[in-house]
């Protein structure tokens, strides 16, 4: 396959970003009022973005922390009211909002951070949300694909410069192939339809998307990254450096909330699955993408060295294919100081 030029901004791909559309949506929860109905002004606002249509559909451990009430609770303790802003367009729109000063913090995947840093945005990662976010591939029922090596010569739907493209590259390399061995169809928004109609042989998606497409009959799950950190994606809390410096208590509150939700799912996995469930994503889906048998160390808020190493590998891939034009040292993107400060307040 002839390699395409791929100088472009990347979208953070979640299943909602694949299919969502529409304008940015803001949800201002937990507004407090005096008894006469007037809003109190003693709370500071923190604007939190996520790559979803609904700003309160937060990703990975942040989603659990929000649904359990921990996120708002910990922020309110230190005087903050959260405004949740959804970006159906994904990581590109989130980076633009950071650049224009419209966001303070965002919960996003690993690709947007590298792009932001390469473009000179003054942002940093201060907490982990999921160090092993599941990715996978659904193969069409008549595609003849039964194992990863069968992808050679096939049409595979992925989005250039996104987590789907990165996963496909890594999976192919792990099986002795390369991106040159497949025909990449850069139309992830229609991936399921293309596979179901036979116009593509396979589609790359997040763990959620893979299970949804399988359950709806689009195709069969070929493989996932579950249990394999090297093939998995990563999600983080990212913030404007100037905002975090001026509001360290907000960053520490978010970290405490993330730690509490990690402890909750460790102690009450079934209840956590029920808490996460929606009409579109039932409890059974979360049982599959967050299996209790594997534990929940991947939800811990501290960003570890192995994650930094994986971010460096990601940066090399994005530089090599032209998605970014400047090299990025992952250490320059990470700030664990807020975790260290928050950890002093953890209850034993």
């Amino acid at each position: 396959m002839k390699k395409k030029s791929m100088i472009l901004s990347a979208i953070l791909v979640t299943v909602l970003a694949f299919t969502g559309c529409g304008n940015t949506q803001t949800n201002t929860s937990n507004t407090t009022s005096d008894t006469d109905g007037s809003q109190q002004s003693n709370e500071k606002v923190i604007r939190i973005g996520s790559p979803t249509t609904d700003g309160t559909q937060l990703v990975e451990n942040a989603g659990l922390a929000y649904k359990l009430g921990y996120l708002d609770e910990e922020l309110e303790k230190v005087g903050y009211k959260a405004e949740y802003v959804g970006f159906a367009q994904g990581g590109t729109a989130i980076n633009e909002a950071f650049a224009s000063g419209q966001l303070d913090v965002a919960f996003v995947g690993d690709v947007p951070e590298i792009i932001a840093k390469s473009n000179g945005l003054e942002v940093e990662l201060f907490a982990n949300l999921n160090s092993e976010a599941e990715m996978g591939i659904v193969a069409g029922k008549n595609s003849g694909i039964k194992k990863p090596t069968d992808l050679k010569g096939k049409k595979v739907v992925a989005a250039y410069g996104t987590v789907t493209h990165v996963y496909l590259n890594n999976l192919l390399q792990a099986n002795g192939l390369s991106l040159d061995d497949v025909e990449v169809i850069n139309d992830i928004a229609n991936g399921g339809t293309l596979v179901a109609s036979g116009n593509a042989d396979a589609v790359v998606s997040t763990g959620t998307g893979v299970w949804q497409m399988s359950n709806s009959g689009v195709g069969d799950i070929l493989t996932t990254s579950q249990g394999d950190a090297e093939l998995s994606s990563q999600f983080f809390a990212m913030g404007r450096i100037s905002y975090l410096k001026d509001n360290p208590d907000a960053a520490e509150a978010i970290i405490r909330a993330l730690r509490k939700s990690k402890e909750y799912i460790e102690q009450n996995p079934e209840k956590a699955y029920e808490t996460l469930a929606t009409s579109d994503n039932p409890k059974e889906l979360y049982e599959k993408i967050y299996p209790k048998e594997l534990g929940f160390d991947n939800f811990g808020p501290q960003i570890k060295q192995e994650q930094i190493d994986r971010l460096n590998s990601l940066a090399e891939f994005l530089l090599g294919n032209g998605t970014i034009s400047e090299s990025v040292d992952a250490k320059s993107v990470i700030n664990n100081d807020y975790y260290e400060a928050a950890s002093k307040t953890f209850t034993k």
Side-chain angles (χ1 to χ4, degrees):
M1 183 192 76
K2 186 177 179 181
K3 193 169 290 186
K4 302 179 189 293
S5 173
M6 295 177 288
I7 306 269
L8 72 165
S9 294
I11 331 168
L12 169 66
V13 181
T14 65
V15 68
L16 286 169
F18 294 164
T19 59
C21 59
N23 297 324
T24 299
Q25 176 174 332
T26 303
N27 182 290
T28 55
S29 62
N30 296 316
T31 300
T32 57
S33 301
D34 290 317
T35 54
D36 63 359
S38 62
Q39 184 175 323
Q40 294 179 2
S41 59
N42 59 340
E43 288 181 309
K44 293 174 283 187
V45 171
I46 177 171
R47 300 164 298 177
I48 299 176
S50 63
T52 59
T53 302
D54 179 348
T56 62
Q57 292 176 331
L58 308 184
V59 294
E60 307 299 336
N61 193 23
L64 180 58
Y66 173 80
K67 286 201 167 186
L68 289 170
Y70 295 154
L71 196 54
D72 286 323
E73 177 184 303
E74 290 298 326
L75 285 168
E76 287 174 358
K77 284 180 182 178
V78 290
Y80 292 85
K81 176 174 69 69
E83 287 186 357
Y84 297 99
V85 189
F87 294 86
Q89 303 90 344
T92 299
I94 286 175
N95 281 347
E96 290 172 352
F98 271 123
S100 61
Q102 296 175 7
L103 272 185
D104 304 313
V105 166
F107 300 133
V108 289
D110 45 15
V111 173
E113 288 94 347
I114 299 299
I115 293 174
K117 201 67 178 179
S118 177
N119 289 336
L121 282 182
E122 291 295 313
V123 293
E124 62 188 5
L125 309 180
F126 65 94
N128 170 64
L129 303 180
N130 188 350
S131 61
E132 296 185 29
E134 188 177 345
M135 300 293 298
I137 293 184
V138 171
K141 293 184 179 296
N142 299 316
S143 66
I145 301 172
K146 303 299 180 184
K147 55 186 183 299
T149 51
D150 292 337
L151 290 168
K152 186 172 182 178
K154 300 294 186 179
K155 297 178 181 179
V156 184
V157 183
Y160 292 135
T162 71
V163 289
T164 58
H165 195 220
V166 173
Y167 173 71
L168 178 60
N169 173 74
N170 293 344
L171 177 69
L172 290 170
Q173 287 190 345
N175 287 276
L177 301 173
S178 74
L179 288 170
D180 288 332
D181 291 313
V182 301
E183 179 181 343
V184 178
I185 299 177
N186 186 28
D187 188 9
I188 201 69
N190 297 304
T193 301
L194 289 169
V195 171
S197 64
N199 291 306
D201 299 302
V203 56
V204 186
S205 187
T206 61
T208 302
V210 163
W211 292 111
Q212 286 179 333
M213 284 189 281
S214 173
N215 290 341
S216 65
V218 167
D220 299 318
I221 297 174
L222 174 65
T223 187
T224 76
S225 65
Q226 192 172 96
D228 189 340
E230 293 301 317
L231 290 179
S232 299
S233 183
Q234 303 186 82
F235 279 76
F236 299 96
M238 177 166 70
R240 281 192 297 116
I241 293 175
S242 59
Y243 178 85
L244 297 178
K245 282 184 177 179
D246 291 340
N247 300 274
D249 47 350
E252 293 164 27
I254 290 171
I255 290 167
R256 284 192 295 272
L258 294 171
R259 183 175 184 267
K260 286 171 68 175
S261 57
K262 173 186 177 287
E263 290 178 340
Y264 183 92
I265 195 171
E266 285 176 329
Q267 297 165 10
N268 309 280
E270 296 301 325
K271 290 183 178 179
Y273 300 143
E274 291 173 1
T275 299
L276 287 165
T278 66
S279 57
D280 295 326
N281 298 328
K283 174 187 174 184
E284 291 73 22
L285 182 147
Y286 291 102
E287 290 175 332
K288 292 174 180 176
I289 64 174
Y290 302 140
K292 57 188 175 185
E293 294 79 13
L294 293 180
F296 301 98
D297 288 344
N298 51 304
F299 272 15
Q302 183 179 19
I303 302 172
K304 299 181 179 179
Q305 181 60 47
E306 54 263 34
Q307 294 182 259
I308 298 174
D309 295 338
R310 288 165 59 198
L311 282 171
N312 275 326
S313 295
L314 171 62
E316 290 176 9
F317 170 75
L318 296 176
L319 181 65
N321 68 28
T323 300
I324 60 175
S325 57
E326 298 290 335
S327 62
V328 173
D329 179 358
K331 286 185 178 179
S332 68
V333 185
I334 308 295
N335 187 347
N336 267 320
D337 291 348
Y338 300 106
Y339 174 84
E340 295 300 328
S343 67
K344 295 175 183 177
T345 68
F346 293 165
T347 54
K348 305 299 182 182

